[in-house]
Amino acid sequence: MSIEIIVKANNLSKHYMIKKGIWSFLGGGKGFTIKAVDQINFEIMRGEIFGLAGESGSGKTTTGRMLALLEKPTYGSIIFEGTDLASLKGKELKHFRRKVQMIFQDPYESLDPRLKIYDSIYEALAIHSIGSSKQERTKIIKETLENVGLSPPEEFLNRYPHELSGGQRQRASIARAIVLKPKFIIADEPVSMIDTSVCAGILNLMMKLRSTMNVTYIFITHDLAIARYICDRLAIMYQGKIRELGHTEDVINKPLHPYTKILLSSVPIPDPGFKRQRIRIPGEWDIFYNQMGCKFHGRCPNANEKCTKEEPELREILPEHWVACHLYAF
Amino acid sequence: MVLAKIRMFWLEYRRDRMAVFGLALVVFFAFIAILAPFITPYDPWSFVSQALSPPSQKNLFGTDKLGRDVFSRVIWGTRVSFIFGLGAATISGLIGIILGAIPAYYGGWLDDLLSRIYEFILVIPTIFLLILIIAMFGSSIYFSMAVVGLTMWPYLARIMRAQVLSLKSKAYVQASIGLGASGIRTLFKHIIPNGIQPVIANITIQIAYAILTEAGLSFLGLGDTTQVSWGQILYWGHLHIASAWWNTVFPGLAIALLALGFTLIGDGINNTLNPKMRESR
Amino acid sequence: MKMVLLEVRDLKMYYRAFGGWIRAVDGISFELERGSTLGLVGESGCGKSSVGLSLLKLLPPTAKFMSGEILFDGTDLLNLCPEDIRKIRWKRISMIFQNAMNALDPVKKVGDQLMEALTVNVNVRKDEAKKKAVELFERVGLSADRMNSYPHELSGGMKQRVIIAMALVCNPELIIADEPTTALDVVVQDQIMQLILELKEKFNLSIIFISHSASVIAETCERICVMYGGKIVEQADVRSIFKSPYHPYTISLFYSYPSIVGEVKKLISLPGAPPNLLNPPAGCRFAPRCPIAKKVCKAEEPPKFEVKKGHYSHCHFAMELDVRKIQSMLEGLT
Ligand SMILES: Nc1ncnc2c1ncn2[C@@H]1O[C@H](COP(=O)(O)OP(=O)(O)O)[C@@H](O)[C@H]1O
Ligand SMILES: Nc1ncnc2c1ncn2[C@@H]1O[C@H](COP(=O)(O)OP(=O)(O)O)[C@@H](O)[C@H]1O
Ligand code: SF4
Ligand SMILES: [Mg+2]
Ligand SMILES: [Mg+2]
């Protein structure tokens, strides 16, 4: 099997200028910049599930939105199947929209409350003129609902989003996305707002779709247990930058970055006999840091002099295992 | 679903007694307007009795200084006021929704410019603007209706704009963009239908405002003298306010009640849609 | 010697609704020992919060206790008049409400909100309240200058600490923590869990921990009640139940979420939906979704079996359950 790169991000960055509002107490009167995503680089191979993990505010959603062209990068570029997304216009852009879909975090907001499930999915078909008649489109919609586990489809076609449970809504959103037979799906925390016992079904569904429809995913999550279950490779983000990147098992079992280690040591284990080694963290974890050097040094138990001055670069320390940390800088 | 929603809305709405009263008032006047030809005893333009005769069996609301029946005139005036109010509010609504929604959705300089424009229109006292325009370009009732409509839309545009800005980031709107929907489709299919309710509440209130404005303009002598509007009746009557109170009290009352009716409905819709406001009342 | 602080016996609490009663708490019994932690776990809508709110009798007017007893330190709370309940509520039993951190008043400083909770519940003067508030802030790991912050200036973890401080104002004996770490980031979630356990040790608190996450319960509780459809289906010491669950639902629950350690197993997702509590199925409520259900399950409510000492299961086949087999059956269903 040849490995084909489907998506490539080059120095991808998104900076927000904050003028006023709730951030003003941090920056004083004048505006300042939030580097939501700051020069990140990665490649996603066709057919894989690429994980993006990190705490809230680390820039995961912003990255996902840029990949879906819902947001324009401030710097850098995204290459999708060999084409720079910045160059897309008109017909090509529409074609891209068909091939790339996004699944959103909040199942209560991702479907228009005024539209029946049927109409929400129908819209996707109508936009791309798929299916020649209404009957044909209805048939496609039914098959898709069946495919995402909403069966019998007749029972769901005429329901409104508020008549479905969180898990069912998320399945309906997935149906709307896959009805276009996309090649690449950006899933932004698709299970973080639904019940833990329902989330397995969604995860298994996404894995099934990967094998049946050959979709590639970028899977955004803050939960490393879920990342471990579903992702082939995993990137850990912190404050707009990728801090560690590698095969999921390597990142989880042999973490290199101190931040990854802290994250992993905080995950609760469903086994009362297991005693976790918690890492002691200096200072208040919750405080907003934005300083020189490695942005993590204020929280890092291993920080040294160099960390306060120089920003470390992402480097391949072990085969296919990248880390941005001065501890590995020799 | 739509029916169920309307039913839900009504169940909530009818708990607000004042709003129900407002609706009753408007429905009452609407019937009068529709049935005007059948319930007016006289032609509103013909001289039927002695000038300025007080209310009597023959002329329920008395007569004006030309001997015309005030009762018939007030009833005919209902039509004019309705048309004026609805017309002006429709113009204002259409412009307000379009100019509020589209620039807000696309952002950029056009949005900035339009925001400045309606901030500007909002701070200048509209009545002076109206007087100026009507004094310069004539006082046909349709013309003043359009002008009144054109001065009111910024209020609606501002509300619509705020709605669009907040709905734009909703996941279902983002999903629609992600599906490849055009901006216009996203706006008209997802954003406007989900954000229009407060605008509708305010359009209702603007109907009342337009009716009052028409009366005000007529009162200042800027009304359309070829129409039997409540404002016109007032205008002709106010000269005799001391000797013939019926010439002003009845049309005045009608104006006040209909305007009150629309205002109460607007408030009622607002409160029904926005339970927080209801609690704090 | 162990002492029972709270004993709930056959508690039934229903909500009146259009078309009947929602049987949110339907015949629940458990005991809580002084100084211990008990976990209530189950998917959302199974009645966990309703149990917590029942213990404080903080229920909406549509709620009604149908039967049962809540014996707190020997007195039945259900028999107490509102006056006497107020002497217990917040003073001896307090609660960290689900989503409370998002319900902080946005226009008041958090310190003032805490002092308000103090002056309302404890008879103290203003200056004393201030001193006590500072003490409470330190106790939950917040620096005292955070008292002058508004909620939006605090992170989620800090807000949750404020909420915990509020639950502590009267030095209660029992705290009911309803999903205290849900919606927090993993590091902060861990810190809050640790804080609650530290406070428990320091002040010999008893805690009822409500969570939909088996992992959180596994790490925080000594005893665990698994709830399904308004009932407790299995109840045991936490080690015993994680070693060998004795109810098909518990098995599905434990294998429905991945872990960061051990081998990666295929997750189980139960087909079907939880029961409608307005009109629950006869017999075992889990029967419609249960892989091993037989005729008897749909007809008769399963009795309580003591499968091991202190380990109870409400399943007709509790005594002959084969975990492996059920697990593979469930996998087949997904
Ligand atoms: N539209 C925006 N304007 C200003 N700041 C934003 C905007 N969107 C996101 N941010 C900021 O960018 C950072 C990253 O946000 P986000 O990508 O949503 O992170 P995550 O998804 O990892 O939680 C946060 O600090 C957030 O406040
Ligand atoms: N105030 C209420 N009125 C009516 N029904 C309620 C109320 N609160 C909860 N319920 C119902 O009771 C059941 C249990 O809810 P809850 O105790 O909140 O469960 P959990 O905390 O496990 O998610 C659900 O079916 C819910 O819909
Ligand atoms: S009683 Fe029957 S239906 Fe209920 S869990 Fe046991 S086997 Fe399944
Ligand atoms: Mg996000
Ligand atoms: Mg709950």
mmCIF file with all atom_site columns, all heavy atoms in Angstrom, chain C residues 292-305:
data_model
loop_
_atom_site.group_PDB
_atom_site.id
_atom_site.type_symbol
_atom_site.label_atom_id
_atom_site.label_alt_id
_atom_site.label_comp_id
_atom_site.label_asym_id
_atom_site.label_entity_id
_atom_site.label_seq_id
_atom_site.pdbx_PDB_ins_code
_atom_site.Cartn_x
_atom_site.Cartn_y
_atom_site.Cartn_z
_atom_site.occupancy
_atom_site.B_iso_or_equiv
_atom_site.pdbx_formal_charge
_atom_site.auth_seq_id
_atom_site.auth_comp_id
_atom_site.auth_asym_id
_atom_site.auth_atom_id
_atom_site.pdbx_PDB_model_num
ATOM 1   N N   . ILE C 1 292 ? -29.248 -11.305 27.540 1.00 0.00 ? 292 ILE C N   1
ATOM 2   C CA  . ILE C 1 292 ? -29.564 -12.648 28.049 1.00 0.00 ? 292 ILE C CA  1
ATOM 3   C C   . ILE C 1 292 ? -30.986 -12.727 28.602 1.00 0.00 ? 292 ILE C C   1
ATOM 4   O O   . ILE C 1 292 ? -31.331 -13.670 29.301 1.00 0.00 ? 292 ILE C O   1
ATOM 5   C CB  . ILE C 1 292 ? -28.570 -13.072 29.153 1.00 0.00 ? 292 ILE C CB  1
ATOM 6   C CG1 . ILE C 1 292 ? -28.547 -12.054 30.285 1.00 0.00 ? 292 ILE C CG1 1
ATOM 7   C CG2 . ILE C 1 292 ? -27.179 -13.278 28.586 1.00 0.00 ? 292 ILE C CG2 1
ATOM 8   C CD1 . ILE C 1 292 ? -27.942 -12.595 31.563 1.00 0.00 ? 292 ILE C CD1 1
ATOM 9   N N   . ALA C 1 293 ? -31.796 -11.718 28.288 1.00 0.00 ? 293 ALA C N   1
ATOM 10  C CA  . ALA C 1 293 ? -33.142 -11.690 28.867 1.00 0.00 ? 293 ALA C CA  1
ATOM 11  C C   . ALA C 1 293 ? -33.955 -12.905 28.427 1.00 0.00 ? 293 ALA C C   1
ATOM 12  O O   . ALA C 1 293 ? -33.893 -13.328 27.275 1.00 0.00 ? 293 ALA C O   1
ATOM 13  C CB  . ALA C 1 293 ? -33.850 -10.413 28.447 1.00 0.00 ? 293 ALA C CB  1
ATOM 14  N N   . LYS C 1 294 ? -34.694 -13.472 29.390 1.00 0.00 ? 294 LYS C N   1
ATOM 15  C CA  . LYS C 1 294 ? -35.610 -14.575 29.087 1.00 0.00 ? 294 LYS C CA  1
ATOM 16  C C   . LYS C 1 294 ? -37.021 -14.110 29.408 1.00 0.00 ? 294 LYS C C   1
ATOM 17  O O   . LYS C 1 294 ? -37.222 -12.980 29.839 1.00 0.00 ? 294 LYS C O   1
ATOM 18  C CB  . LYS C 1 294 ? -35.245 -15.788 29.957 1.00 0.00 ? 294 LYS C CB  1
ATOM 19  C CG  . LYS C 1 294 ? -33.815 -16.243 29.797 1.00 0.00 ? 294 LYS C CG  1
ATOM 20  C CD  . LYS C 1 294 ? -33.748 -17.573 29.064 1.00 0.00 ? 294 LYS C CD  1
ATOM 21  C CE  . LYS C 1 294 ? -32.371 -17.848 28.512 1.00 0.00 ? 294 LYS C CE  1
ATOM 22  N NZ  . LYS C 1 294 ? -31.313 -17.845 29.519 1.00 0.00 ? 294 LYS C NZ  1
ATOM 23  N N   . LYS C 1 295 ? -37.947 -15.017 29.229 1.00 0.00 ? 295 LYS C N   1
ATOM 24  C CA  . LYS C 1 295 ? -39.345 -14.685 29.452 1.00 0.00 ? 295 LYS C CA  1
ATOM 25  C C   . LYS C 1 295 ? -39.577 -14.076 30.838 1.00 0.00 ? 295 LYS C C   1
ATOM 26  O O   . LYS C 1 295 ? -40.270 -13.071 30.984 1.00 0.00 ? 295 LYS C O   1
ATOM 27  C CB  . LYS C 1 295 ? -40.177 -15.960 29.323 1.00 0.00 ? 295 LYS C CB  1
ATOM 28  C CG  . LYS C 1 295 ? -41.421 -15.759 28.486 1.00 0.00 ? 295 LYS C CG  1
ATOM 29  C CD  . LYS C 1 295 ? -42.043 -17.105 28.257 1.00 0.00 ? 295 LYS C CD  1
ATOM 30  C CE  . LYS C 1 295 ? -43.414 -17.011 27.640 1.00 0.00 ? 295 LYS C CE  1
ATOM 31  N NZ  . LYS C 1 295 ? -43.947 -18.364 27.452 1.00 0.00 ? 295 LYS C NZ  1
ATOM 32  N N   . VAL C 1 296 ? -38.954 -14.720 31.829 1.00 0.00 ? 296 VAL C N   1
ATOM 33  C CA  . VAL C 1 296 ? -39.201 -14.301 33.211 1.00 0.00 ? 296 VAL C CA  1
ATOM 34  C C   . VAL C 1 296 ? -38.829 -12.814 33.427 1.00 0.00 ? 296 VAL C C   1
ATOM 35  O O   . VAL C 1 296 ? -39.443 -12.115 34.207 1.00 0.00 ? 296 VAL C O   1
ATOM 36  C CB  . VAL C 1 296 ? -38.448 -15.230 34.201 1.00 0.00 ? 296 VAL C CB  1
ATOM 37  C CG1 . VAL C 1 296 ? -36.958 -15.208 33.908 1.00 0.00 ? 296 VAL C CG1 1
ATOM 38  C CG2 . VAL C 1 296 ? -38.719 -14.834 35.638 1.00 0.00 ? 296 VAL C CG2 1
ATOM 39  N N   . CYS C 1 297 ? -37.818 -12.371 32.691 1.00 0.00 ? 297 CYS C N   1
ATOM 40  C CA  . CYS C 1 297 ? -37.346 -10.997 32.870 1.00 0.00 ? 297 CYS C CA  1
ATOM 41  C C   . CYS C 1 297 ? -38.418 -9.983  32.499 1.00 0.00 ? 297 CYS C C   1
ATOM 42  O O   . CYS C 1 297 ? -38.521 -8.920  33.094 1.00 0.00 ? 297 CYS C O   1
ATOM 43  C CB  . CYS C 1 297 ? -36.122 -10.742 32.015 1.00 0.00 ? 297 CYS C CB  1
ATOM 44  S SG  . CYS C 1 297 ? -34.805 -11.904 32.303 1.00 0.00 ? 297 CYS C SG  1
ATOM 45  N N   . LYS C 1 298 ? -39.201 -10.315 31.489 1.00 0.00 ? 298 LYS C N   1
ATOM 46  C CA  . LYS C 1 298 ? -40.214 -9.365  31.035 1.00 0.00 ? 298 LYS C CA  1
ATOM 47  C C   . LYS C 1 298 ? -41.459 -9.433  31.914 1.00 0.00 ? 298 LYS C C   1
ATOM 48  O O   . LYS C 1 298 ? -42.282 -8.527  31.879 1.00 0.00 ? 298 LYS C O   1
ATOM 49  C CB  . LYS C 1 298 ? -40.573 -9.639  29.575 1.00 0.00 ? 298 LYS C CB  1
ATOM 50  C CG  . LYS C 1 298 ? -39.335 -9.473  28.704 1.00 0.00 ? 298 LYS C CG  1
ATOM 51  C CD  . LYS C 1 298 ? -39.615 -9.229  27.243 1.00 0.00 ? 298 LYS C CD  1
ATOM 52  C CE  . LYS C 1 298 ? -38.369 -8.701  26.571 1.00 0.00 ? 298 LYS C CE  1
ATOM 53  N NZ  . LYS C 1 298 ? -37.719 -9.601  25.646 1.00 0.00 ? 298 LYS C NZ  1
ATOM 54  N N   . ALA C 1 299 ? -41.571 -10.502 32.680 1.00 0.00 ? 299 ALA C N   1
ATOM 55  C CA  . ALA C 1 299 ? -42.775 -10.680 33.491 1.00 0.00 ? 299 ALA C CA  1
ATOM 56  C C   . ALA C 1 299 ? -42.566 -10.268 34.937 1.00 0.00 ? 299 ALA C C   1
ATOM 57  O O   . ALA C 1 299 ? -43.426 -9.619  35.536 1.00 0.00 ? 299 ALA C O   1
ATOM 58  C CB  . ALA C 1 299 ? -43.225 -12.136 33.420 1.00 0.00 ? 299 ALA C CB  1
ATOM 59  N N   . GLU C 1 300 ? -41.432 -10.635 35.485 1.00 0.00 ? 300 GLU C N   1
ATOM 60  C CA  . GLU C 1 300 ? -41.248 -10.420 36.922 1.00 0.00 ? 300 GLU C CA  1
ATOM 61  C C   . GLU C 1 300 ? -40.079 -9.491  37.200 1.00 0.00 ? 300 GLU C C   1
ATOM 62  O O   . GLU C 1 300 ? -39.026 -9.591  36.564 1.00 0.00 ? 300 GLU C O   1
ATOM 63  C CB  . GLU C 1 300 ? -40.967 -11.752 37.619 1.00 0.00 ? 300 GLU C CB  1
ATOM 64  C CG  . GLU C 1 300 ? -42.191 -12.579 37.858 1.00 0.00 ? 300 GLU C CG  1
ATOM 65  C CD  . GLU C 1 300 ? -41.797 -13.972 38.301 1.00 0.00 ? 300 GLU C CD  1
ATOM 66  O OE1 . GLU C 1 300 ? -40.895 -14.096 39.164 1.00 0.00 ? 300 GLU C OE1 1
ATOM 67  O OE2 . GLU C 1 300 ? -42.375 -14.940 37.759 1.00 0.00 ? 300 GLU C OE2 1
ATOM 68  N N   . GLU C 1 301 ? -40.277 -8.669  38.196 1.00 0.00 ? 301 GLU C N   1
ATOM 69  C CA  . GLU C 1 301 ? -39.185 -7.806  38.611 1.00 0.00 ? 301 GLU C CA  1
ATOM 70  C C   . GLU C 1 301 ? -38.143 -8.661  39.310 1.00 0.00 ? 301 GLU C C   1
ATOM 71  O O   . GLU C 1 301 ? -38.479 -9.462  40.184 1.00 0.00 ? 301 GLU C O   1
ATOM 72  C CB  . GLU C 1 301 ? -39.716 -6.740  39.560 1.00 0.00 ? 301 GLU C CB  1
ATOM 73  C CG  . GLU C 1 301 ? -38.747 -5.614  39.728 1.00 0.00 ? 301 GLU C CG  1
ATOM 74  C CD  . GLU C 1 301 ? -39.364 -4.472  40.501 1.00 0.00 ? 301 GLU C CD  1
ATOM 75  O OE1 . GLU C 1 301 ? -40.525 -4.117  40.228 1.00 0.00 ? 301 GLU C OE1 1
ATOM 76  O OE2 . GLU C 1 301 ? -38.674 -3.963  41.382 1.00 0.00 ? 301 GLU C OE2 1
ATOM 77  N N   . PRO C 1 302 ? -36.862 -8.522  38.928 1.00 0.00 ? 302 PRO C N   1
ATOM 78  C CA  . PRO C 1 302 ? -35.862 -9.396  39.563 1.00 0.00 ? 302 PRO C CA  1
ATOM 79  C C   . PRO C 1 302 ? -35.695 -9.060  41.043 1.00 0.00 ? 302 PRO C C   1
ATOM 80  O O   . PRO C 1 302 ? -35.736 -7.892  41.422 1.00 0.00 ? 302 PRO C O   1
ATOM 81  C CB  . PRO C 1 302 ? -34.581 -9.107  38.779 1.00 0.00 ? 302 PRO C CB  1
ATOM 82  C CG  . PRO C 1 302 ? -34.820 -7.840  38.061 1.00 0.00 ? 302 PRO C CG  1
ATOM 83  C CD  . PRO C 1 302 ? -36.281 -7.672  37.897 1.00 0.00 ? 302 PRO C CD  1
ATOM 84  N N   . PRO C 1 303 ? -35.530 -10.078 41.866 1.00 0.00 ? 303 PRO C N   1
ATOM 85  C CA  . PRO C 1 303 ? -35.290 -9.821  43.295 1.00 0.00 ? 303 PRO C CA  1
ATOM 86  C C   . PRO C 1 303 ? -33.842 -9.398  43.536 1.00 0.00 ? 303 PRO C C   1
ATOM 87  O O   . PRO C 1 303 ? -33.032 -9.396  42.613 1.00 0.00 ? 303 PRO C O   1
ATOM 88  C CB  . PRO C 1 303 ? -35.578 -11.171 43.934 1.00 0.00 ? 303 PRO C CB  1
ATOM 89  C CG  . PRO C 1 303 ? -35.263 -12.169 42.878 1.00 0.00 ? 303 PRO C CG  1
ATOM 90  C CD  . PRO C 1 303 ? -35.554 -11.506 41.551 1.00 0.00 ? 303 PRO C CD  1
ATOM 91  N N   . LYS C 1 304 ? -33.552 -9.075  44.790 1.00 0.00 ? 304 LYS C N   1
ATOM 92  C CA  . LYS C 1 304 ? -32.197 -8.660  45.126 1.00 0.00 ? 304 LYS C CA  1
ATOM 93  C C   . LYS C 1 304 ? -31.404 -9.894  45.544 1.00 0.00 ? 304 LYS C C   1
ATOM 94  O O   . LYS C 1 304 ? -31.794 -10.591 46.481 1.00 0.00 ? 304 LYS C O   1
ATOM 95  C CB  . LYS C 1 304 ? -32.298 -7.665  46.277 1.00 0.00 ? 304 LYS C CB  1
ATOM 96  C CG  . LYS C 1 304 ? -31.012 -7.125  46.812 1.00 0.00 ? 304 LYS C CG  1
ATOM 97  C CD  . LYS C 1 304 ? -31.364 -6.003  47.796 1.00 0.00 ? 304 LYS C CD  1
ATOM 98  C CE  . LYS C 1 304 ? -30.184 -5.480  48.548 1.00 0.00 ? 304 LYS C CE  1
ATOM 99  N NZ  . LYS C 1 304 ? -30.595 -4.375  49.443 1.00 0.00 ? 304 LYS C NZ  1
ATOM 100 N N   . PHE C 1 305 ? -30.334 -10.176 44.819 1.00 0.00 ? 305 PHE C N   1
ATOM 101 C CA  . PHE C 1 305 ? -29.480 -11.312 45.178 1.00 0.00 ? 305 PHE C CA  1
ATOM 102 C C   . PHE C 1 305 ? -28.218 -10.806 45.838 1.00 0.00 ? 305 PHE C C   1
ATOM 103 O O   . PHE C 1 305 ? -27.609 -9.843  45.352 1.00 0.00 ? 305 PHE C O   1
ATOM 104 C CB  . PHE C 1 305 ? -29.068 -12.103 43.931 1.00 0.00 ? 305 PHE C CB  1
ATOM 105 C CG  . PHE C 1 305 ? -30.192 -12.849 43.281 1.00 0.00 ? 305 PHE C CG  1
ATOM 106 C CD1 . PHE C 1 305 ? -30.822 -12.343 42.160 1.00 0.00 ? 305 PHE C CD1 1
ATOM 107 C CD2 . PHE C 1 305 ? -30.615 -14.069 43.811 1.00 0.00 ? 305 PHE C CD2 1
ATOM 108 C CE1 . PHE C 1 305 ? -31.858 -13.042 41.562 1.00 0.00 ? 305 PHE C CE1 1
ATOM 109 C CE2 . PHE C 1 305 ? -31.652 -14.774 43.206 1.00 0.00 ? 305 PHE C CE2 1
ATOM 110 C CZ  . PHE C 1 305 ? -32.285 -14.256 42.088 1.00 0.00 ? 305 PHE C CZ  1
#
